[in-house]
Amino acid sequence: MNIADLKTTLDPHGIGQEMYRLISELYPICRSITGNGFRETLSIIKTHIPLKVHEVPTGTQVFDWTVPKEWNIRDAYIKNGQGERVVDFRASNLHVVSYSTPVHATLSRAELKGHLFTLPDHPDWTPYRTSYYQENWGFCLSHKLFLELQEDMYEVYIDSSLEEGHLTYGEYYLRGESTDEVLISCHTCHPSLCNDNLSGVALATFLAQHLGAVSRRYSYRFLFIPGTIGSITWLSLNEAQASKIKHGLVVVCVGDSGKSTYKRSRRGNAEIDRVVEYVLKHSGNDYEIGDFFPYGYDERQYCSPGFNLPVGCLMRTPHGRYPEYHTSADNLDFVQPDYLGDSFSKYLAVLNVLENNKRYLNKNPKCEPQLGKRGLYGAIGGRSDAKTSQLAMLWVLNLSDGQHTLLDIADRSGLEFDLIRNVADILVKHALLQECPEPEQSRA
Amino acid sequence: MNIADLKTTLDPHGIGQEMYRLISELYPICRSITGNGFRETLSIIKTHIPLKVHEVPTGTQVFDWTVPKEWNIRDAYIKNGQGERVVDFRASNLHVVSYSTPVHATLSRAELKGHLFTLPDHPDWTPYRTSYYQENWGFCLSHKLFLELQEDMYEVYIDSSLEEGHLTYGEYYLRGESTDEVLISCHTCHPSLCNDNLSGVALATFLAQHLGAVSRRYSYRFLFIPGTIGSITWLSLNEAQASKIKHGLVVVCVGDSGKSTYKRSRRGNAEIDRVVEYVLKHSGNDYEIGDFFPYGYDERQYCSPGFNLPVGCLMRTPHGRYPEYHTSADNLDFVQPDYLGDSFSKYLAVLNVLENNKRYLNKNPKCEPQLGKRGLYGAIGGRSDAKTSQLAMLWVLNLSDGQHTLLDIADRSGLEFDLIRNVADILVKHALLQECPEPEQSRA
Amino acid sequence: MNIADLKTTLDPHGIGQEMYRLISELYPICRSITGNGFRETLSIIKTHIPLKVHEVPTGTQVFDWTVPKEWNIRDAYIKNGQGERVVDFRASNLHVVSYSTPVHATLSRAELKGHLFTLPDHPDWTPYRTSYYQENWGFCLSHKLFLELQEDMYEVYIDSSLEEGHLTYGEYYLRGESTDEVLISCHTCHPSLCNDNLSGVALATFLAQHLGAVSRRYSYRFLFIPGTIGSITWLSLNEAQASKIKHGLVVVCVGDSGKSTYKRSRRGNAEIDRVVEYVLKHSGNDYEIGDFFPYGYDERQYCSPGFNLPVGCLMRTPHGRYPEYHTSADNLDFVQPDYLGDSFSKYLAVLNVLENNKRYLNKNPKCEPQLGKRGLYGAIGGRSDAKTSQLAMLWVLNLSDGQHTLLDIADRSGLEFDLIRNVADILVKHALLQECPEPEQSRA
């Protein structure tokens, strides 16, 4: 079985539901860029794919950065004068600013205010805040609740630790025919936020699971990492091997109702860029494609000028373009199985083109070969439209001069990629076509 | 006299009428890809140009193909029970499927049906059908007539032969200053069909006749060949010389009332592509230009990847885009002298640009030369617009750096090619410009 | 102080008024391509900038041209039978065709007519005419006056001389860090015409004055020359050094109310072309950009194929596109201080980008540097929008791979050039960026 078969046998609806179940399971865990919440998350993913867990000690120098202290938290609250928990970490881990230092104090409302974060424009929602690289503490709460806080003395308590420890990340490597790699990277460090990025975590998990079961031209590397520091750490520890990555995608925000959006790699015309553009163009759905810009997710690091890897970002609504982004409203209602399943299908379609996007040589390049004597008119079983298949054969023969990939041929002919690939297979079987060898350095 | 003079002296209306007369003369002949009808056609063309007739024996291997048996036919009919010829080859050679094997039998209407071809959507028209590479027989008739056939016993008779023989084609070579060639190719194998392709045959014949009478920069090769197998045969027998073809056009469907349509060569940006685009753009008529695709006429073979010759296809309405295509309605009413003459003019205009599209060097490239002291202001006799001529001189001088052809200069300046060429001649006479030598290998 | 400071400290309104005053002072002088009027003009410019005056003898061969005789004029008139000066050089120097030979004769109205030039479409305006390279004489007058001329005998008198002498031009060279030059060229040969080209003369003068007071990356060369023969003469005498000109602008027609118009260099994609396009696009005003064509002003010579210098032409309404062009209506009302000042600002903005359009190398190219630990978030004083500055840093870091100039980065990011440059300076100070060395041959 290969990826093309996966594409026809997997039911997007079913996959979407599995993804949604995994998101639901991971949702309550308090994750950050380090700590036990991240480890617990990886151990759940491990029930689906046998990923390898790496632990990188605090203080490790990774390019211009240093692996930070490990953060863990057990409880946190703000109690009013009556001893009631008016803000309670147990209700939502978003209530505590991530990486808050431990605190236990009693403060007036005025003193407390400087440590509180709300969203006046969305008074029912709790914001998500972090303070990774500046030691501080704080609480996030709905603006509605904030307005209800009376003049009072408040007990604030954060039972956290910020200590020497490790940065943890998960890696799953699937060897293919070639050592050339496709990278699938997702940041896994956000707490109870579904679209950003439990949706990406779930998509990567099930993609990895299914790819593990089929034959592969490329090797695949899945990274479950904390945002920014995670990709920097991986690139730093794997600098020499990074050039094996021939194509890559950062998986984020793939569960909301918005249209598919692709952010090109820094190169702008890498094969992954052309493939995703082709898939979205022929998806039948609305979509948007934009150029690389140096902020967003981990593509910032993969596409830094010293690496310049061909890594794009295939998402639905991009970060910051939906109001629920980085708030408590990015919850289990905001992502839906059907959107997740649709995103999964598109990733699969992209990988299907990538895996099959080879270059061929017409072995009979002078004039057309006589298709009729080989019974190649109407040769594709089950196709009602024999004329289209014949046309596809003529296109493949005409453009298989070693300069054009099958995607080039699909693009130029306006015919669908799968037909072009199917026809190429038939022509290979009839010895009219042969695969071009790939450049030396990219063979296994 | 040169081609530019032809362009001004030849009357498109008159040429159109001559072309129409030749079409009328060739129309009744039953042609196929081999056989006496093809020979008779060439002998009539020979009354206009001294072409060379080649005979290639049946069984000759030409790349992946084999020259087929020669087909000839003397008579054919379907008689009803009363002995009446209800379908009669003598009335139209379209009534017999081309390459029909001999048959003489009596069949019921039901048995007969499997050998009959009609056009239900156009009940008055007879379709044109062939069975070159699968031995079979059949009749074509109007759907109206088909519906009138009663339950009856029918005598079918085809007095044909399919035997060892030859594939015949005509070739006319006109030597020019350079051995670089312009190819003009037309398929000559269709029976009583006017637009496809007696129109092309007539255009090629008169173009050859007139080019024979003028000085030529390029050598010209005219091919009157059967479709597909003819170009494959020629390319196979002339493989080593094919690279002399620097520009080429396949002439088809040039007599209908539709707009001019150009199908680019596979290269897409060959000089012939640019020249035709320029001519059509400045023709004052509506036109259409499209990219190469690997079906259509003999450009399929010329543009196969092993040759990739710069051969486009300049026509009016392309094959398959008019309902009369490959039916009895592609008759002497469907093509008209004026459309034929207009197509001829456009071919001439294309060749005029090709012949004159040279590259020059400004011999005084540092600052402008002083035109006034040479009397070059208003130097072009008969031109009312002295300012435009002066402008043309400045453009030619400015861009004649060996990088730009006269067509480049016409394109960039927006001035007409003939003015640019005229001005270049004047500047050469005043020693301000010299022609760039062409690359070694393309000189005679 | 550098050009960026000039841009912020100079008041366009004030500069516009200074330019207008200089134009008013130069307006009455009778200039031509040679002669004392040209010298007097240069001596007035010399009160602003210490330009060097060159005298090139009549008869000097300059490429295909010869320096013409020097022309001077003292008085001229047409008197009617009553002895009244009906046309009087003292009223306007436009009344005499420039380079008119001396004449003193009495002619009938009919005889006189062949020497009179008027503008029937603008009966109140006097045309501007020259006869540099054909010896002749003539008068220009309003069509209204022309119609009033009675049947009479007229005394015509032109007290001019056309003798061996010199062609005069002014040159001002400002040495910068590099010997690479920016050329600013203006034709200074027109008599009482304000937009064409006293406006250009005034702009060049004040630009030179202010550039003299600041530090410069480039050297600057200002040419005050007669049109056509002046640039040909300069190029001929300075042929070997012309290649030092890395960017150039011909300054003309910069005082009228029309929108800014840029005519690209012959190269079309030279750095000056990109810079001017960027500046006009971000100017907030309407503008127009067009390709090079080989007529117009001295760019014709700078862009002749033997030099092909990257010299464009930044103007307001181009020559010939306003009816006042080359008539007495191109007067002190037609140009206005505000338009002059606006043009000056745009030239300054162009030079500011040119001077700062360097290429840098990210010294920390693998993953992003940690900006936070360097205090670089919100590092730009006075900027309210810290987020935009941060974005600009990320863009500069991401694209500083030695391939992209700051203008490339501004273009691609959509951020303003000055912000990009500012941010680059800060990153250099923090040792995150270093300037790329320029190619050897272009250093001082």
Side-chain angles (χ1 to χ4, degrees), chain B residues 365-366 368 370 373-374 398, chain C residues 64-65 239 266 300 306:
Chain B
K366 293 186 172 170
E368 294 170 7
Q370 197 176 359
K373 74 180 181 191
R374 294 177 175 83
N398 190 275
Chain C
D64 193 48
W65 300 61
E239 190 176 344
R266 182 178 182 273
R300 290 163 65 153

Side-chain angles (χ1 to χ4, degrees), chain B residues 7-28:
Chain B
K7 226 185 62 151
T8 53
T9 57
L10 281 182
D11 162 35
H13 186 72
I15 285 281
Q17 284 179 320
E18 287 189 76
M19 287 166 70
Y20 190 81
R21 271 195 295 274
L22 177 56
I23 291 170
S24 307
E25 189 179 356
L26 297 174
Y27 182 63

Side-chain angles (χ1 to χ4, degrees), chain B residues 155-215:
Chain B
E155 179 193 352
V156 296
Y157 177 63
I158 299 182
D159 178 16
S160 67
S161 58
L162 193 54
E163 292 163 350
E164 301 287 309
H166 293 84
L167 177 151
T168 309
Y169 70 87
E171 185 169 22
Y172 181 48
Y173 177 72
L174 277 171
R175 185 67 166 78
E177 281 169 46
S178 161
T179 55
D180 287 349
E181 291 181 16
V182 178
L183 172 71
I184 303 290
S185 174
C186 60
H187 64 271
T188 312
C189 51
H190 284 23
S192 296
L193 297 168
C194 287
N195 201 37
D196 178 20
N197 190 27
L198 290 175
S199 70
V201 170
L203 194 151
T205 300
F206 288 101
L207 199 58
Q209 189 187 61
H210 286 288
L211 285 181
V214 297
S215 63

